[in-house]
Amino acid sequence: MHKEHTLTKNQQIIFDLIDKSPEPMKAYAILFSVQKKGIKAPLQVYRALDKLVEIGKIHKIESRNAFIACHNSSCQVSKATAFSICEICEKITEISSASLSKYLANFKDKDGMKYSKYNLEFFGLCKKCR
Amino acid sequence: MHKEHTLTKNQQIIFDLIDKSPEPMKAYAILFSVQKKGIKAPLQVYRALDKLVEIGKIHKIESRNAFIACHNSSCQVSKATAFSICEICEKITEISSASLSKYLANFKDKDGMKYSKYNLEFFGLCKKCR
DNA sequence: TTTAAATTGTTATAATATAACACCATGTAA
DNA sequence: TTACATGGTGTTATATTATAACAATTTAAA
């Protein structure tokens, strides 16, 4: 489970927005949406995003510069992320597969090195777009 | 194997630079380095980078916005990439593991969906930094 | 309660990436 | 040989993503 964190006002506003969004949100789209709530500057958004990522409430989709709420209750979740991305409609889903996360968590490279964290992005066409 | 492509002048200049670099290069570092060869604008760099990525000669490290030459001779390589990233010294290495690529190439999600492409980034500490 | 750590608000700016347009080179089909 | 499609080039301008620096305030722990 996530360690419980009490979110600050800005963090809560931004988390709620991302959590309700049906799709990942970009930083400046977030900024635009929360301006009426008094969050006026990019830095306020980025600081909240950084913290939310750090505590595992949201994830960043690196290839899209977008943020999505974590809907995975596994405890490793902020350090072990996997997503599927549709290259046509840009639908993005967090993958939660026990076998995948087990495989990757135990992966060792040629030098026997293990890693503390990973991010995996799969690309393809979703059901609708196929 | 990669399909053979004859690189254009700009593509060749930029590929050579990345290929010789001991570490991934960022677009504007590339731009700076090639200005004496007549490549003056960001777009010239980005266009060459896009093409080089497309044909699999280089890969983009999404979490770092940086580009690295492909040193993997496997044919799936431009669609199936894995990297290890040291979070201290930022040393980045392309992982070539037959079992990993086999596992991921065959991965199916809950709906039985297979993906045509993936990018995996592992984070940890390299030998030196441990 | 005082002190350290985290968060906030703000302005400015850095870093990354694309739009739009005119032009040029090359291959190929009529 | 012409025409025309495709892809690359050069250019200016601009959009998008992200951080630096600093002062003030809030929060939580000792």
Side-chain angles (χ1 to χ4, degrees):
Chain A
M1 278 303 159
H2 297 133
K3 189 179 163 207
E4 285 309 322
H5 283 265
T6 309
L7 300 184
T8 65
K9 180 166 146 285
N10 287 0
Q11 289 162 10
Q12 190 69 57
I13 289 168
I14 287 172
F15 175 72
D16 287 345
L17 180 67
I18 296 171
D19 193 40
K20 276 181 223 122
S21 170
E23 60 210 18
M25 294 192 74
K26 301 193 146 216
Y28 279 70
I30 293 167
L31 175 60
F32 182 78
S33 292
V34 298
Q35 272 175 335
K36 49 194 165 236
K37 300 203 172 168
I39 296 174
K40 292 174 194 158
L43 246 200
Q44 297 174 286
V45 173
Y46 279 105
R47 285 196 284 226
L49 289 173
D50 285 351
K51 191 67 186 182
L52 291 167
V53 167
E54 185 190 326
I55 66 182
K57 301 279 287 180
I58 64 173
H59 304 306
K60 182 173 186 183
I61 314 295
E62 293 287 356
S63 67
R64 298 300 187 258
N65 300 315
F67 299 85
I68 190 174
C70 175
H71 291 306
N72 191 327
S73 58
S74 148
C75 61
Q76 267 205 328
V77 97
S78 70
K79 311 213 148 191
T81 51
F83 303 96
S84 76
I85 303 174
C86 173
E87 290 188 298
I88 291 182
C89 74
E90 288 292 319
K91 180 174 160 54
I92 299 182
T93 313
E94 186 168 1
I95 293 173
S96 86
S97 158
S99 65
L100 176 65
S101 57
K102 191 174 170 193
Y103 182 89
L104 292 176
N106 291 316
F107 177 77
K108 285 176 195 153
D109 70 15
K110 281 178 175 147
D111 301 328
M113 170 156 176
K114 276 189 73 172
Y115 299 95
S116 58
K117 212 165 118 182
Y118 65 78
N119 179 61
L120 171 58
E121 299 180 7
F122 280 110
F123 304 90
L125 302 184
C126 73
K127 278 185 176 174
K128 280 185 190 167
C129 294
R130 233 169 318 159
Chain B
M1 279 302 162
H2 298 132
K3 187 177 162 209
E4 285 310 322
H5 283 265
T6 310
L7 301 183
T8 64
K9 182 166 145 284
N10 288 1
Q11 290 162 9
Q12 189 70 56
I13 289 169
I14 288 173
F15 175 72
D16 287 345
L17 180 67
I18 297 172
D19 192 40
K20 275 181 224 127
S21 170
E23 61 210 17
M25 294 192 76
K26 301 190 146 220
Y28 277 70
I30 293 167
L31 176 59
F32 182 78
S33 292
V34 298
Q35 273 175 336
K36 50 194 163 237
K37 300 204 173 169
I39 295 174
K40 291 174 194 160
L43 248 201
Q44 297 174 286
V45 173
Y46 280 105
R47 286 198 282 225
L49 290 173
D50 286 351
K51 191 68 187 180
L52 291 167
V53 166
E54 185 191 326
I55 64 181
K57 299 281 287 181
I58 64 174
H59 304 306
K60 182 172 185 180
I61 314 295
E62 293 287 356
S63 67
R64 300 299 188 258
N65 299 316
F67 299 85
I68 190 175
C70 175
H71 289 306
N72 191 326
S73 58
S74 147
C75 59
Q76 267 204 325
V77 96
S78 69
K79 311 214 146 191
T81 51
F83 304 96
S84 76
I85 302 175
C86 174
E87 290 187 297
I88 291 181
C89 74
E90 289 291 320
K91 179 174 159 58
I92 298 181
T93 313
E94 186 169 2
I95 293 173
S96 86
S97 158
S99 65
L100 177 64
S101 56
K102 191 175 170 191
Y103 182 89
L104 292 176
N106 292 315
F107 176 77
K108 286 177 195 151
D109 70 15
K110 280 177 176 150
D111 301 329
M113 171 154 175
K114 276 188 75 173
Y115 298 96
S116 58
K117 212 164 118 181
Y118 64 78
N119 180 61
L120 171 58
E121 297 180 8
F122 279 110
F123 303 90
L125 302 184
C126 74
K127 280 185 175 172
K128 281 184 187 165
C129 293
R130 230 168 321 162

